[in-house]
Amino acid sequence: MTALPPNKFPPGIVHEAYATCLDLQNRAMNVQQLKSGPTVLVCARFLGYVILEAPTTTGQENFAREVTSCQDGATLCKLAKFYIDHFVRCFRAAKGRTPIPSEHPSRPSFDDIQETLAYLLREPTRNHQTAKSMALIRDGYRCIVSGRYDFRSIMRFPTVRAARESSGAAIASLKAAHIIGESINAGISTIHDESTTRHYASTVWAVLDCFGGVFFEELNGADVHRLENVMTMDPIVHDFFDSLDLWLEATETPNCYRLNASDATILLDLPATITFTSTDPRLALPSPRYLGIHAACARVAHLSAAGKYVEDMFRDLEELPVLASDGTSADALNLALSRIGISVK
């Protein structure tokens, strides 16, 4: 966890909000902690780093107004917990299990890449599998970060096998990595559903709109599988990306990104920068906006230690045989209930 730097914002709403975060950081030991949730110090630094790392000026000002509307330390901590629950968890771990690869029962099998692409472009159904197939073609059947080739594709396509042999690159069973997770729309598929699951997912979208300018209509339903939201990754890189331990930072060159990580050892054997290219102009590249929000969230989670708080919740949920009688398992319980559509007030 890294202390917030001095306030260098010019006079205005953002300066005022950041000063509030600095003040909460300085008096964290004297502010009563919430019954469940991160520590006051984590809350203070989370709020401050959200202001510092906001990907857009509008998002920064929107969040600053929320901070300045808080009346006291307890309210600020509640705001921090709200954003950790609905924003960090959106990227960190709310993605669900990767679907088992399968072919549509009516989908023909092609041994030619161009025939496969032509079919996919005509396919009206957009799902995880079609997104993965199109991303594989766009990315040259390689992980966009490590450069590993997809094992099943080199077994299927002679041209991919030849390219792999020529490059000498390693292989892996590649995955389709969603920048904004597939489960973000869970529970809001029907307009008449008034369940808390629907409320939770709707609130996540409200947070994404407020902070990063990503609108519900962009990734609603099957549109979460649009190519702008999907990248080809090997399992190790995918896991680090999903856990917010690896992120991509935009450079001045379009579609060129610098790799960064929560620990330098993650970057060993990985390139310093990567450049996205498409094998076909009809296949869109990953969205800089989506990647920018993911990177901002990753940096905030890492610098404020909010990521560790979320990681601890998921670890407790997986490892604790029973709930603790002293209430220390409250965060894990809240997480478990929110995943099935029940909220704890």
Side-chain angles (χ1 to χ4, degrees), residues 149-165:
Y149 274 89
D150 181 55
F151 171 72
R152 290 179 177 81
S153 297
I154 66 173
M155 298 297 292
R156 180 179 180 184
F157 300 115
T159 54
V160 178
R161 174 181 287 274
R164 207 264 349 142
E165 292 174 349

Side-chain angles (χ1 to χ4, degrees), residues 112-263:
D112 179 80
I113 295 174
Q114 290 304 315
E115 289 180 350
T116 303
L117 176 58
Y119 173 81
L120 290 170
L121 291 172
R122 294 194 305 268
E123 173 64 59
T125 302
R126 183 179 292 172
N127 54 38
H128 183 98
Q129 187 59 36
T130 57
K132 176 182 178 180
S133 298
M134 295 179 77
L136 276 168
I137 295 175
R138 180 196 64 195
D139 300 333
Y141 295 93
R142 305 184 74 172
C143 170
I144 61 166
V145 175
S146 69
R148 290 176 179 266
Y149 274 89
D150 181 55
F151 171 72
R152 290 179 177 81
S153 297
I154 66 173
M155 298 297 292
R156 180 179 180 184
F157 300 115
T159 54
V160 178
R161 174 181 287 274
R164 207 264 349 142
E165 292 174 349
S166 176
S167 70
I171 63 172
S173 293
L174 302 187
K175 309 294 183 182
H178 286 69
I179 303 170
I180 297 177
E182 295 177 78
S183 66
I184 193 171
N185 292 320
I188 55 175
S189 58
T190 58
I191 193 168
H192 300 296
D193 180 13
E194 297 299 332
S195 71
T196 51
T197 308
R198 178 180 184 273
H199 173 71
Y200 174 83
S202 300
T203 306
V204 170
W205 273 115
V207 169
L208 286 176
D209 183 0
C210 172
F211 180 73
V214 175
F215 304 108
F216 172 69
E217 291 77 11
E218 295 182 50
L219 300 173
N220 181 27
D223 284 338
V224 74
H225 301 297
R226 64 191 303 170
L227 275 179
E228 292 92 334
N229 192 43
V230 179
M231 302 179 293
T232 303
M233 288 184 171
D234 75 42
I236 295 176
V237 172
H238 187 192
D239 183 63
F240 285 138
F241 184 82
D242 269 6
S243 66
L244 295 176
D245 288 306
L246 176 70
W247 59 93
L248 281 59
E249 298 178 345
T251 66
E252 295 181 356
T253 304
N255 298 311
C256 179
Y257 296 86
R258 182 183 305 105
L259 298 184
N260 210 335
S262 60
D263 190 288

Side-chain angles (χ1 to χ4, degrees), residues 24 27 70-77:
L24 183 62
R27 57 188 183 90
C70 294
Q71 302 298 317
D72 51 31
T75 313
L76 286 166
C77 288

Side-chain angles (χ1 to χ4, degrees), residues 8-27:
K8 296 184 178 180
F9 292 105
I13 186 69
V14 177
H15 184 282
E16 180 184 351
Y18 190 71
T20 298
C21 300
L22 287 172
D23 176 66
L24 183 62
Q25 175 184 251
N26 294 337
R27 57 188 183 90

